[in-house]
Amino acid sequence: MSTTPAVGEPLIQLEGTSKTYRSGELQVTALQPTTLRVDAGEFLAIMGPSGSGKSTLMNVLGCLDVASSGTYRLAGSDVGSLSEEELAEIRNRRIGFVFQQFNLLASMPAWRNVELPLCYAGVSRTERRERALAALERVGLADRSDHRPGELSGGQQQRVAVARALVTEPALLLADEPTGNLDSTSTADVLGLLAELHDAGRTIVLITHEDDVAAAADRIVRLHDGTVVSDRSNAPRAGLHRAGKVPS
């Protein structure tokens, strides 16, 4: 896998990329041939109703599924040519995932949840803890590192999930409906955090069906029936940023 491109250079490049699912004689094309470029440092929202293909596109971008046709280049590497082992390494080291369900282990304190990707990467115990605590500090939860998920609010739990996604220093942060289980206050808090990470140079792709959530991004792609129907720049609404910056 090549190094992360400089800001403004392509991180994601799809060329005629499609995904078709087959079951016996049944064939369903969930993603029509799609061409899409996302530059390093962009904050992109992918929108669409249920069945629009946004989840399929997310799975392809996250290397959770392989395209049926066309090409997908991530940081210059052709994803379609990689082995299962290489794809697993990309998912663990090069892409940070944040999901609607926080997917935190209830029995573990926050820092132990954050260090998990580093365990899979074979990082030493001392370094894992140091990096986990640094990631929690980055998302404003240094004082909650020893709290278990049940002792945290929904917004705080999602911040822990974001810290876990960041701990490997990924090229891409992929957030799938990250505010779906949050109230309006926690939603604004998490979107503010994503905006700060973007300001610090992080590349973010946000999957959502909500206009208010997509308004945090500086570019919005809309899907319908597996096809990109619009791709436009967006001026993020005011009030998303907390005071100060999140360190890069």
Side-chain angles (χ1 to χ4, degrees), residues 35-128:
T35 296
L36 179 68
R37 168 174 165 159
V38 181
D39 289 339
E42 275 200 271
F43 188 172
L44 171 70
I46 297 176
M47 290 197 68
S50 178
S52 64
K54 66 182 187 297
S55 293
T56 300
L57 179 55
M58 182 210 72
N59 288 339
V60 170
L61 294 178
C63 298
L64 299 168
D65 210 345
V66 178
S68 301
S69 66
T71 60
Y72 169 27
R73 293 186 178 276
L74 178 63
S77 294
D78 184 354
V79 171
S81 67
L82 302 179
S83 66
E84 285 297 328
E85 185 177 272
E86 290 170 322
L87 289 173
E89 182 175 356
I90 286 176
R91 290 191 296 267
N92 188 51
R93 296 178 182 234
R94 307 293 297 177
I95 303 173
F97 294 93
V98 181
F99 296 105
Q100 179 175 341
Q101 306 295 335
F102 313 131
N103 295 334
L104 302 177
L105 298 179
S107 62
M108 290 185 175
W111 75 268
R112 291 289 306 278
N113 272 281
V114 172
E115 76 164 0
L116 284 174
L118 301 177
C119 295
Y120 303 137
V123 176
S124 70
R125 179 179 299 180
T126 300
E127 184 180 349
R128 290 200 309 262

Side-chain angles (χ1 to χ4, degrees), residues 163-175:
R164 181 182 58 196
L166 293 174
V167 77
T168 60
E169 295 295 334
L172 170 66
L173 184 63
L174 189 57

Side-chain angles (χ1 to χ4, degrees), residues 2-246:
S2 60
T3 58
T4 303
V7 171
E9 295 182 355
L11 175 65
I12 291 171
Q13 288 183 298
L14 302 180
E15 295 287 345
T17 309
S18 71
K19 182 62 185 179
T20 298
Y21 296 100
R22 294 178 175 84
S23 178
E25 296 183 359
L26 182 63
Q27 177 174 299
V28 176
T29 299
L31 182 66
Q32 300 291 339
T34 299
T35 296
L36 179 68
R37 168 174 165 159
V38 181
D39 289 339
E42 275 200 271
F43 188 172
L44 171 70
I46 297 176
M47 290 197 68
S50 178
S52 64
K54 66 182 187 297
S55 293
T56 300
L57 179 55
M58 182 210 72
N59 288 339
V60 170
L61 294 178
C63 298
L64 299 168
D65 210 345
V66 178
S68 301
S69 66
T71 60
Y72 169 27
R73 293 186 178 276
L74 178 63
S77 294
D78 184 354
V79 171
S81 67
L82 302 179
S83 66
E84 285 297 328
E85 185 177 272
E86 290 170 322
L87 289 173
E89 182 175 356
I90 286 176
R91 290 191 296 267
N92 188 51
R93 296 178 182 234
R94 307 293 297 177
I95 303 173
F97 294 93
V98 181
F99 296 105
Q100 179 175 341
Q101 306 295 335
F102 313 131
N103 295 334
L104 302 177
L105 298 179
S107 62
M108 290 185 175
W111 75 268
R112 291 289 306 278
N113 272 281
V114 172
E115 76 164 0
L116 284 174
L118 301 177
C119 295
Y120 303 137
V123 176
S124 70
R125 179 179 299 180
T126 300
E127 184 180 349
R128 290 200 309 262
R129 181 177 173 84
E130 290 175 354
R131 289 172 62 176
L133 293 175
L136 284 168
E137 183 174 5
R138 182 181 298 186
V139 302
L141 285 181
D143 60 341
R144 296 289 189 271
S145 62
D146 287 320
H147 287 61
R148 288 177 169 79
E151 300 169 322
L152 301 172
S153 69
Q156 289 173 331
Q157 289 184 61
Q158 193 60 292
R159 282 178 170 270
V160 173
V162 171
R164 181 182 58 196
L166 293 174
V167 77
T168 60
E169 295 295 334
L172 170 66
L173 184 63
L174 189 57
D176 182 22
E177 301 282 4
T179 63
N181 286 335
L182 303 179
D183 60 28
S184 58
T185 299
S186 295
T187 291
D189 185 48
V190 169
L191 291 178
L193 173 60
L194 293 179
E196 290 179 6
L197 292 170
H198 168 241
D199 285 349
R202 189 73 56 180
T203 307
I204 300 173
V205 174
L206 170 67
I207 312 296
T208 184
H209 65 278
E210 300 181 72
D211 287 316
D212 284 350
V213 173
D218 56 17
R219 179 180 163 205
I220 300 175
V221 168
R222 292 181 184 269
L223 295 177
H224 184 72
D225 291 340
T227 300
V228 173
V229 294
S230 71
D231 184 345
R232 64 176 179 82
S233 297
N234 178 57
R237 67 173 185 264
L240 286 175
H241 296 61
R242 297 181 304 166
K245 301 284 187 180
V246 175

